Amino acid sequence: MLLRRYDTTEWFRPLYIGSDIWQNAGFSMIIYLAALTAIDPSLHEAARMDGANRFQRIRHIDIPGILPVITILFILAVGNIFNLGFEKVYLMQTDLNLPTSEVINTYVYKTGLQNAQFSYSAAIGLFNSVLNLLLLLTFNWVAKKANQSSLW
């Protein structure tokens, strides 16, 4: 019987992404359900009377009703895109998956605290924060121009 050897480098990303989806699904579900409860039920009643099926009601009532919430959560996620969660990455990191699992936060930790290059690691952390801020401002501006919904 021939068994295929699975290298741990190919499984790091799917495991990390799957665990992140599982970790954030509950919070996102609560936010979206709260946004859905803010939609007036009489809109659904009127659409049902006009003969709209479930998918038409979702497309024309529900999605436009929660679009500001979708936009805000998307902007917040984009502004945090380079912060992958140091703790989870560092705990999942081994010598075998190091080429795949090395991210900016773990590199800053290893450079600054383990190699004692404090100024270099501080510069990398500052550059990471500036990139996050630029992405946040850019996507906030795009969202404001696209549908008048933004953080500020």
Side-chain angles (χ1 to χ4, degrees), residues 6-22 88 92 97 100:
Y6 289 103
D7 193 14
T8 57
T9 58
E10 73 183 45
W11 285 101
F12 179 78
R13 285 188 184 117
L15 282 174
Y16 183 83
I17 292 169
S19 67
D20 194 52
I21 290 170
W22 184 257
K88 188 165 51 168
M92 291 175 67
N97 66 10
T100 305

Side-chain angles (χ1 to χ4, degrees), residues 45-59:
E45 239 178 86
R48 207 175 297 123
M49 291 296 216
D50 289 340
N53 61 21
R54 179 175 297 195
F55 296 110
Q56 289 172 334
R57 290 192 322 249
I58 289 172
R59 182 175 172 217

Side-chain angles (χ1 to χ4, degrees), residues 14-75:
L15 282 174
Y16 183 83
I17 292 169
S19 67
D20 194 52
I21 290 170
W22 184 257
Q23 180 180 0
N24 295 321
F27 175 74
S28 298
M29 199 175 310
I30 289 170
I31 297 296
Y32 289 123
L33 282 174
L36 281 172
T37 59
I39 295 174
D40 189 13
S42 65
L43 293 173
H44 283 282
E45 239 178 86
R48 207 175 297 123
M49 291 296 216
D50 289 340
N53 61 21
R54 179 175 297 195
F55 296 110
Q56 289 172 334
R57 290 192 322 249
I58 289 172
R59 182 175 172 217
H60 296 289
I61 298 171
D62 290 338
I63 292 179
I66 65 170
L67 192 59
V69 173
I70 293 171
T71 304
I72 296 298
L73 288 178
F74 179 72
I75 291 170

Side-chain angles (χ1 to χ4, degrees), residues 7-10 12-13 93-103 106 110:
D7 193 14
T8 57
T9 58
E10 73 183 45
F12 179 78
R13 285 188 184 117
Q93 212 170 51
T94 64
D95 290 335
L96 296 175
N97 66 10
L98 192 62
T100 305
S101 65
E102 188 73 42
V103 295
T106 57
K110 290 175 184 174

